Amino acid sequence: MGDRQPYLNGAYYGPSVPPPTKAKRRRYDSPGIGCCCCKCIGSCIGSCIRCCGCCILSLICNILIAVAVILGIAALVLWFVFRPNAVKFYVTDANLNRFSLDSSNNSNLHYDLDLNFTIRNPNQRVGIYYDEIKVSGYYGDQRFGTGDITPFYQGHKNTTVAATKIAGQNLVVLGDGARADLEEDEKAGVYRIDAKVRMSVRFKFWVIKSWRFKPKIKCDDLKIPLGGSNSTSGFKFETVKCDFDFF
């Protein structure tokens, strides 16, 4: 019993751990020189490039915003100064010389239509360049032909008379309702035809010319007698005002 280990009070830590040895520093591991320095320079160059790119992009955005604001203010000022009013379109006369389906092919429509328009520019300081005018004839929501109007310039407070001819033959697919309407029109001698006008116009403010606009004009429910302004039944074509839509 004499060689028994004595009772140990407190925690038992075991054998002591030697302190960590310091690794030898190499010459190129010293801060500020060698590889570390190269990494620092590369990081700085990348940061500068990113910073410059952000600055250039921000500058371009600011320039574009400033230009858009200036153009918007200029357009608003011009609008209040000149106050352009919508152009007024009228179909003042129409002659229908032929409008019938082919006897051998009931989808082949023969047509010969003359339309006269009166175009009024009510603006006092705004002139209008009509660069392109196309007139399309419709029956039962089906387009059957197109005619052109010669381009022209219209001055301030001016009224211009323009004419076009829509003639030829074309395959037109008419539904049951449209065919029934066509039979009624043939019996009455008066045809219900729609016309749509597509234009490319520019406005002139003093010496300033605007960019091109493409307004749309609808002349619906034109009741046109066959064989001229007066049919055998005594029906006379009446002037129709067209709807003008800038967009």
Side-chain angles (χ1 to χ4, degrees):
M1 301 296 292
D3 56 353
R4 181 180 296 178
Q5 294 291 335
Y7 182 77
L8 298 177
N9 293 324
Y12 176 69
Y13 295 99
S16 60
V17 179
T21 58
K22 294 183 178 180
K24 293 183 180 181
R25 187 183 298 275
R26 300 178 182 179
R27 288 185 303 169
Y28 49 81
D29 288 340
S30 300
I33 62 173
C35 295
C36 184
C37 181
C38 294
K39 294 178 181 179
C40 182
I41 293 174
S43 177
C44 289
I45 293 174
S47 299
C48 289
I49 292 175
R50 287 193 297 272
C51 182
C52 291
C54 292
C55 291
I56 293 173
L57 184 60
S58 177
L59 179 62
I60 293 174
C61 291
N62 291 333
I63 292 174
L64 292 177
I65 292 173
V67 170
V69 171
I70 293 172
L71 291 177
I73 294 174
L76 186 62
V77 170
L78 289 175
W79 179 271
F80 279 107
V81 169
F82 296 103
R83 293 181 181 273
N85 297 313
V87 179
K88 301 182 186 302
F89 262 74
Y90 301 89
V91 180
T92 52
D93 197 8
N95 294 323
L96 188 61
N97 303 309
R98 185 179 182 183
F99 200 83
S100 61
L101 293 173
D102 198 333
S103 57
S104 61
N105 184 356
N106 58 5
S107 295
N108 189 24
L109 179 66
H110 296 263
Y111 51 89
D112 188 349
L113 173 63
D114 296 315
L115 293 175
N116 291 340
F117 294 91
T118 297
I119 306 171
R120 174 66 179 172
N121 176 17
N123 298 286
Q124 188 174 359
R125 301 182 181 88
V126 179
I128 305 174
Y129 287 96
Y130 296 89
D131 296 327
E132 184 181 16
I133 306 177
K134 288 187 175 297
V135 184
S136 298
Y138 285 79
Y139 190 88
D141 294 330
Q142 296 293 320
R143 184 177 64 180
F144 59 82
T146 303
D148 296 327
I149 295 178
T150 304
F152 63 94
Y153 171 77
Q154 189 176 39
H156 315 146
K157 293 282 186 178
N158 182 267
T159 301
T160 303
V161 177
T164 186
K165 188 177 188 65
I166 304 174
Q169 58 179 342
N170 196 7
L171 292 177
V172 178
V173 180
L174 299 177
D176 295 336
R179 288 185 179 276
D181 292 340
L182 183 58
E183 291 178 1
E184 293 180 4
D185 292 347
E186 288 176 347
K187 293 178 182 179
V190 179
Y191 293 78
R192 292 162 286 183
I193 295 175
D194 301 331
K196 295 182 181 180
V197 184
R198 295 182 180 271
M199 303 186 301
S200 176
V201 300
R202 291 173 295 153
F203 297 99
K204 182 181 179 182
F205 312 92
W206 288 329
V207 296
I208 302 174
K209 297 178 184 179
S210 72
W211 53 88
R212 282 184 172 85
F213 293 91
K214 293 186 177 182
K216 300 175 183 178
I217 297 94
K218 295 181 180 180
C219 310
D220 294 335
D221 201 19
L222 303 176
K223 296 180 175 64
I224 308 174
L226 183 65
S229 298
N230 295 287
S231 66
T232 55
S233 61
F235 182 87
K236 184 178 180 180
F237 178 81
E238 296 181 357
T239 299
V240 175
K241 184 179 179 180
C242 305
D243 295 329
F244 190 95
D245 188 5
F246 248 116
F247 304 100

